[in-house]
Amino acid sequence: MPQKISIIGAGYVGLTSGVCLASLGHQVICVDKDKDKLGQLEKAIIPIYEPGLAELLKEHQTNISFTDDLAEAVKQSDVIFIAVGTPSLANGDVDLSFFEQAVVEAARNMQGYKVIVDKSTVPVGAGDWVKNEIKKYFFGEFSVVSNPEFLREGTAIKDFLRPDRVVIGCDNNDTRAKNIMSDIYCAIDCPKFITDLKSAEMIKYASNSFLAAKISFINEIANICEKTGANVGEVAQGMGLDSRIGPKFLQAGIGFGGSCFPKDVAGLISIAQKNNYSPLILQAVMAVNESQRDLFAEKIIGLLQKNNGKTAALWGLAFKPETDDIRHSPAVDIIKKLLTAGFNVQAYDPAAMDNMKAIFPSGQVKFCDTALQAVEKADVLALVTDWLEFSQTDFSKVKSAMRLPIIIDGRNFLDPIVLRNLGFDYFGIGRTDF
Ligand code: UGA
């Protein structure tokens, strides 16, 4: 049965969830404070870079509306998803101010039974806080559910509509909420894992931290491979064939970025410490990740110094391909290190240039219109983000444009044999076998 759903927060998770839930036939109201954003969304213009989202919105526009009137949205809905940002504070703690504000505003406007669904990533125990907070403003019956989201930027629609699992956390005896949540996701064919509130909240942190740990682990192995002559690509492939390990998230490179892994690993460290536990593995996951981008920047600087070079070309600024997101992107730290060491940086990214221009304004970095323009007279080309476009570039043109034919590939993305045959000096991560 179609449900009446409000989604508070039209950011990455909120907007994708809203559009996807509308595509499943539910009646969705997306609430956000940003009037410019709402104006764009009403015209089916998506303010984020997410392949396919604008098309899906256009297709299901009749099932979704956008407003800044939270009170009215709550009144008109039976299910309220909270999908506001929960960024990191400087000390790694989770900033719950947007979340708390959304809960209080929703609670103030509740008139009958509602299910409050938490989709934001919040510390374990937040669901209990939500229950207590709502009781201050509303004296009727209501349910609180934790429904963490596992979608990735760039593949958000597929991840939402065809996920590995849907996790639903609520009180064991809350059959009403369980039935409504099952209804919402009934068209999605995957295991629905129903558990208690706190475990659902922890599943989100533990999943992101485990994936981040896989990345830091393979990056550490890559660094040892470089010292010993093994090839990390071969090692990851050989490891991944063990079904207990699996092949995914074993791509060595310059580490993870984005708005989720760094924030959530830091968040879980802070949750553990507040509970008097010292999370040694999580701390190491972060430390390896930070040093991985430093090591890469040092390698670029080393290559420039060895060859009397002055200019590095950077291909890719986004934290991963198919997004314009540069939050915690390795590119930011790499550019800072290169500039501090006195080198010139020429950069190109298919989607993230405007965002990066806001961090490195006027003349600090030369932002170029094409990948080929970025390598013009460069001494080293550093590949930072594995956009498909880069592997499809004509490398004979790249070689003619560069002052020196040196490539350092931070994602082991390019073909070393092809590049060597073209006369490039190629350096990857965790591989020295060419
Ligand atoms: C991540 C999770 O994968 C999602 O399940 C989760 O919903 C989301 O966080 C979130 O909490 O909102 P996302 O940050 O969009 O999604 O990106 P990923 O595709 O997971 O990549 C994260 C980073 O890891 C990227 O910088 C990527 O380049 C890096 N990575 C990934 C590697 O370095 N190696 C790999 O093998 C895989």
Side-chain angles (χ1 to χ4, degrees):
M1 196 179 85
Q3 296 285 341
K4 287 184 190 161
I5 298 171
S6 272
I7 308 223
I8 305 178
Y12 226 107
V13 168
L15 189 56
T16 310
S17 306
V19 173
C20 289
L21 289 170
S23 81
L24 295 175
H26 301 296
Q27 280 303 321
V28 178
I29 306 173
C30 273
V31 186
D32 204 282
K33 287 184 172 153
D34 184 338
K35 287 208 165 100
D36 290 341
K37 190 196 271 186
L38 293 169
Q40 287 183 305
L41 288 168
E42 269 156 19
K43 290 184 226 146
I45 299 168
I46 296 282
I48 51 170
Y49 182 95
E50 184 59 42
L53 197 56
E55 290 78 1
L56 197 65
L57 171 57
K58 273 187 200 125
E59 208 180 313
H60 299 281
Q61 234 169 343
T62 48
N63 286 351
I64 189 164
S65 60
F66 300 94
T67 181
D68 62 348
D69 190 346
L70 190 145
E72 192 52 36
V74 168
K75 279 177 203 152
Q76 286 183 22
S77 308
D78 300 319
V79 186
I80 320 293
F81 278 76
I82 298 180
V84 294
T86 50
S88 276
L89 292 167
N91 63 358
D93 278 4
V94 185
D95 178 356
L96 287 170
S97 51
F98 302 118
F99 178 78
E100 290 173 358
Q101 216 181 327
V103 170
V104 170
E105 280 187 53
R108 281 200 170 121
N109 290 288
M110 281 168 58
Q111 286 167 341
Y113 175 81
K114 313 267 176 203
V115 187
I116 307 297
V117 183
D118 172 28
K119 248 204 188 305
S120 300
T121 302
V122 287
V124 182
D128 288 343
W129 177 87
V130 173
K131 281 189 209 165
N132 291 330
E133 202 60 19
I134 293 175
K135 281 182 195 156
K136 290 185 192 165
Y137 302 92
F138 177 68
F139 307 107
E141 200 196 334
F142 66 92
S143 299
V144 173
V145 168
S146 166
N147 173 216
E149 185 46 58
F150 302 100
L151 62 82
R152 288 162 295 177
E153 293 184 17
T155 52
I157 297 172
K158 177 191 143 290
D159 290 344
F160 190 95
L161 293 174
R162 280 184 282 138
D164 288 343
R165 82 300 206 186
V166 167
V167 173
I168 294 165
C170 62
D171 290 344
N172 190 29
N173 54 5
D174 194 346
T175 318
R176 195 169 176 185
K178 283 182 196 170
N179 288 341
I180 291 174
M181 293 308 292
S182 301
D183 231 29
I184 289 175
Y185 289 111
C186 68
I188 293 183
D189 181 22
C190 73
K192 316 280 161 45
F193 184 70
I194 299 182
T195 181
D196 61 280
L197 262 176
K198 285 185 177 169
S199 301
E201 290 163 345
M202 181 58 101
I203 286 169
K204 171 69 187 191
Y205 279 102
S207 300
N208 270 4
S209 298
F210 187 77
L211 291 169
K214 267 188 118 173
I215 298 168
S216 278
F217 182 86
I218 201 65
N219 282 336
E220 185 143 273
I221 296 295
N223 297 339
I224 305 172
C225 282
E226 261 175 45
K227 303 273 180 205
T228 54
N231 178 331
V232 74
E234 299 291 308
V235 174
Q237 215 178 329
M239 286 170 65
L241 288 169
D242 185 328
S243 61
R244 294 169 303 172
I245 298 173
K248 294 182 181 164
F249 277 72
L250 286 181
Q251 176 65 43
I254 46 179
F256 56 81
S259 64
C260 306
F261 286 174
K263 166 178 81 75
D264 291 348
V265 180
L268 190 49
I269 289 172
S270 149
I271 293 167
Q273 287 171 336
K274 280 195 181 134
N275 286 281
N276 300 318
Y277 180 78
S278 186
L280 301 179
I281 292 179
L282 299 175
Q283 283 162 336
V285 167
M286 290 300 266
V288 169
N289 196 52
E290 275 153 34
S291 84
Q292 199 66 5
R293 50 185 75 186
D294 286 350
L295 275 175
F296 188 67
E298 280 159 25
K299 281 183 189 168
I300 303 172
I301 291 170
L303 285 167
L304 287 166
Q305 284 169 338
K306 193 173 148 205
N307 295 286
N308 293 320
K310 282 191 166 47
T311 303
L314 247 61
W315 274 4
L317 300 171
F319 81 97
K320 66 171 192 176
E322 298 302 336
T323 178
D324 62 356
D325 197 341
I326 57 160
R327 285 176 287 177
H328 295 281
S329 173
V332 178
D333 291 334
I334 292 163
I335 293 175
K336 278 185 190 158
K337 281 214 154 212
L338 287 168
L339 295 177
T340 307
F343 295 101
N344 305 320
V345 177
Q346 302 178 169
Y348 168 74
D349 186 284
M353 302 273 274
D354 287 345
N355 287 338
M356 201 56 104
K357 280 177 191 165
I359 296 191
F360 297 102
S362 62
Q364 281 188 23
V365 172
K366 186 176 172 200
F367 291 101
C368 304
D369 293 334
T370 63
L372 274 177
Q373 218 178 73
V375 296
E376 201 66 48
K377 297 202 168 52
D379 302 295
V380 170
L381 163 59
L383 186 137
V384 175
T385 317
D386 38 347
W387 284 96
L388 189 61
E389 174 183 332
F390 297 142
S391 64
Q392 294 170 342
T393 306
D394 181 344
F395 278 91
S396 53
K397 286 190 181 155
V398 173
K399 187 162 177 252
S400 322
M402 290 182 76
R403 198 180 74 81
L404 295 172
I406 303 172
I407 293 184
I408 176 157
D409 180 355
R411 302 287 179 178
N412 288 345
F413 183 57
L414 305 172
D415 188 333
I417 313 276
V418 170
L419 293 173
R420 192 185 52 193
N421 288 342
L422 281 170
F424 281 99
D425 274 347
Y426 174 92
F427 303 89
I429 305 286
R431 54 202 293 205
T432 51
D433 55 325
F434 36 78

